[in-house]
Amino acid sequence: MIINPDAGKDIRRLLSSASYSGNFTKIELGRRVTLGLDSAGVDEVLVMHDNGGLGEDVVASLEGKISSRLTLIPTRGTGTVLDTIEGASRMKDLGVKSLVVVGGDGTLRAAFKGASEVPLATVSAGTNNVTGAFYDASLVGYAAGLVTVGGVELGDAVRRVKLLEVFVDGEPRDVAVIDVAGIRIPYVGARAVFEVESIAFAVFSKGEPTDVGLASILGFLRPTGFDEDVGFLVEFGNGFSEVNALIMPGVFKRVGVRRVERLDVGSLVSIPPGTYTLALDGERELEVCSSDEVKVMLSRKGPLLINVPKVLRICAMNKNY
Amino acid sequence: MSILVPRDKLIEMYSIMVLIRAFEDRAHELFAAGKLPGFVHLYAGEEAVAVGVISNLVKGDYITSTHRGHGHCIAMGCDIKGMMAELYGKRTGICKGKGGSMHIADFEIGMLGANGIVGAGVPLAVGAALALKYRSPGNVAVAFFGDGAMNQGCVMEALNVATIWKLPIVFTVEDNQYAISMRSMAPTKLQPRVATARSFAERAVGFGITAVTVDGMDVLAVYEAAKAAIERARRGEGPSLLDCKTYRYYGHFEGDPMVYRSREEIEEWRKRDPIRLFKERLIRMGVATEHELEALREKALKEVEEAVSRAEEDPYPEPSEAYTDVFTDPYY
């Protein structure tokens, strides 16, 4: 388990009705995940030592009180996304069978970068939680525990979702699970995307009307699930359509759409040249200039996501609980 | 909220950051050489916080500072020569040589003072915000304070009253990782168990204050968050808190042997030096060339050298002036 101490604490609290995702809450979520894993019969739970000490708190509070062995996994403690990538990578090397992240889409993406072959589940504690869903953390832990322990055929309850691979001048530079957006601001700054007017285009792998963030735009324009082998390039402006999207919690914005292009899995799309910051899963990450040739590929190489209700249902039907 | 920063503003921000660094590096040398009386606490490494926040302020706004106040002074536009003379204790200092490093102030430009007492500037900023609410709606106050101050009673009271009165104030925590020699997380217990879960923003949320965590080594990240918080305050939407994660390069005070932290830790933080990060970004954005930015740094060094030369030559206050400007008129 990885708890991201920084998830759900950024500038969007000042610009929307987004809640502050506090440490106390995250520790309780972490405890519930651990108790769920324990209840499923997991032998050992590895918990990342994060810079905020949240994982350490979870371990200290449950050690010796549950059947599962609890082990803290150290990282360099940079206080950045690198901790999650490093922690996930170490856990993968130690042979974990599943990984639960307490955070938002950015945390899941970082965990995926460190452990792409490990099934992942998210406990929603970020601002945008497109990859997660609001189930009690105990049940997310329990589902991940059932995946870990095995013994029942889970079929597509654990399935690999789509991925957006970003290439700059032919070289792979980064990945996103949900969306890659070109923001007309030439620097990363506070990372979050909150000015609709600044978005030039976005490439989506997924977007449902129930999503928050940029995915909400696709959600109302062309609802697209993880299971569908398509994605979309959307250019913003006037002329084609307009949607009322939930850009941040409580902030609906009317967004003009100039052009929509359907993408099949395996296709590579060139993004309009210009000076942008590329936002990956809703956070400005990559600064590109007009001389850079940027392409995005839609693939099926994304995270192995644990579908929590499906896993629990299959196990219930098989009396595997 | 428009966050696109004009080119001139970006250059100005960089110029102030290198001026702060030049001033602090020189003060470090001067103190070691025995030139500066009293204590000196240096701001090098934390420039992105002062500049990112103060770049959003306008005439009529106020700040209060800490014992580590040179960066805030310079970002507010205090005269460098007057500041250096103040550190020397000279009569030409901006407080006539009687404030020194820890009580440096310039009320004319809204800099209400550094403060030798940890956390003591915060209630003063709340007072300024209360005055602004009645006398100058649209103006704001900013309280800068450190992670150690977050455990001072007066800071808790200030947070509380700012919420109750919905004051136009932005609380800015400069979490430079250490309260003197103690890890900032150590005394900031949120949990009954291991008690290392640190979050100053979380405490503010407990007071009903909107709070965010900010990368205090990235001046544009600080600028954007501060802009959002300050605009809220100007609109009358009440206080906010910015929890800026940063790092001081020198010791808590000059002469601090720094046995509580490793050289490797300092080097790790220096890899994300706020001035270097900003410089690389400005070059990549095409805002300025390396040569142009180097020229700004050299200009800052020259400006500080001139301030040192003048401070060396300036006179000390006369002994007969020892009590002037020290006490205010109680009936004012």
Side-chain angles (χ1 to χ4, degrees), chain A:
Chain A
M1 177 175 67
I2 290 173
I3 307 176
N4 178 2
D6 290 331
K9 293 180 176 176
D10 71 15
I11 190 172
R12 284 170 285 193
R13 264 94 319 242
L14 292 164
L15 298 165
S16 72
S17 297
S19 307
Y20 183 83
S21 194
N23 288 354
F24 185 84
T25 304
K26 283 180 190 161
I27 290 167
E28 291 306 329
L29 291 172
R31 280 165 52 82
R32 274 141 67 186
V33 168
T34 309
L35 291 166
L37 289 162
D38 179 60
S39 187
V42 170
D43 290 332
E44 184 177 16
V45 180
L46 309 185
V47 180
M48 188 185 84
H49 188 291
D50 57 88
N51 206 35
L54 311 188
E56 189 183 353
D57 202 303
V58 169
V59 170
S61 68
L62 292 175
E63 207 160 31
K65 296 176 184 165
I66 58 176
S67 302
S68 304
R69 242 179 14 263
L70 295 171
T71 307
L72 269 172
I73 301 300
T75 65
R76 283 184 302 150
T78 63
T80 70
V81 68
L82 297 176
D83 293 347
T84 298
I85 297 172
E86 183 189 349
S89 177
R90 286 189 176 207
M91 289 177 185
K92 173 200 69 183
D93 293 343
L94 289 166
V96 294
K97 298 286 191 295
S98 71
L99 185 51
V100 181
V101 297
V102 179
D105 294 332
T107 316
L108 178 114
R109 177 169 151 269
F112 166 70
K113 286 165 87 168
S116 59
E117 300 303 317
V118 178
L120 298 169
T122 310
V123 173
S124 301
T127 311
N128 298 342
N129 301 290
V130 176
T131 50
F134 288 94
Y135 303 108
D136 190 275
S138 327
L139 290 172
V140 178
Y142 190 57
L146 292 170
V147 170
T148 301
V149 172
V152 65
E153 179 54 52
L154 293 171
D156 67 350
V158 179
R159 82 252 193 252
R160 198 173 280 285
V161 299
K162 289 171 278 187
L163 188 69
L164 296 164
E165 299 172 64
V166 180
F167 297 84
V168 178
D169 295 333
E171 295 295 319
R173 284 291 293 274
D174 215 323
V175 296
V177 180
I178 312 297
D179 46 53
V180 176
I183 312 299
R184 289 192 201 89
I185 295 170
Y187 45 83
V188 168
R191 296 190 174 273
V193 178
F194 45 84
E195 279 187 323
V196 169
E197 301 75 18
S198 69
I199 310 170
F201 64 86
V203 184
F204 293 100
S205 75
K206 188 241 185 197
E208 300 277 9
T210 47
D211 291 338
V212 182
L214 300 184
S216 172
I217 299 172
L218 186 70
F220 284 104
L221 190 68
R222 296 277 177 86
T224 306
F226 272 136
D227 295 331
E228 298 169 62
D229 278 334
V230 295
F232 290 92
L233 166 67
V234 177
E235 289 183 22
F236 298 102
N238 297 319
F240 176 73
S241 183
E242 188 179 83
V243 295
N244 192 25
L246 184 62
I247 300 299
M248 293 184 281
V251 179
F252 286 91
K253 289 269 188 181
R254 298 207 75 82
V255 182
V257 174
R258 192 164 64 83
R259 191 173 82 87
V260 179
E261 179 182 338
R262 181 192 149 111
L263 309 171
D264 293 317
V265 165
S267 61
L268 189 65
V269 63
S270 294
I271 67 162
T275 299
Y276 307 105
T277 308
L278 292 183
L280 308 176
D281 294 335
E283 295 201 346
R284 287 175 276 158
E285 294 260 356
L286 199 58
E287 293 157 354
V288 295
C289 61
S290 48
S291 61
D292 293 327
E293 187 191 36
V294 183
K295 293 184 177 182
V296 179
M297 175 179 272
L298 178 69
S299 73
R300 266 280 169 204
K301 297 178 186 169
L304 277 166
L305 280 193
I306 298 172
N307 185 323
V308 172
K310 235 176 195 175
V311 168
L312 295 177
R313 179 173 277 267
I314 289 169
C315 290
M317 300 293 280
N318 288 280
K319 299 200 181 303
N320 183 30
Y321 42 78

Side-chain angles (χ1 to χ4, degrees), chain B residues 170-208:
Chain B
V170 176
F171 298 101
T172 304
V173 184
E174 297 177 316
D175 178 6
N176 63 18
Q177 312 302 313
Y178 290 93
I180 305 183
S181 58
M182 182 184 280
R183 271 278 181 197
S184 59
M185 70 174 72
T188 312
K189 299 184 176 183
L190 289 173
Q191 294 295 301
R193 296 180 292 262
V194 173
T196 57
R198 169 184 57 142
S199 170
F200 303 114
E202 187 143 354
R203 284 194 169 177
V205 171
F207 285 101

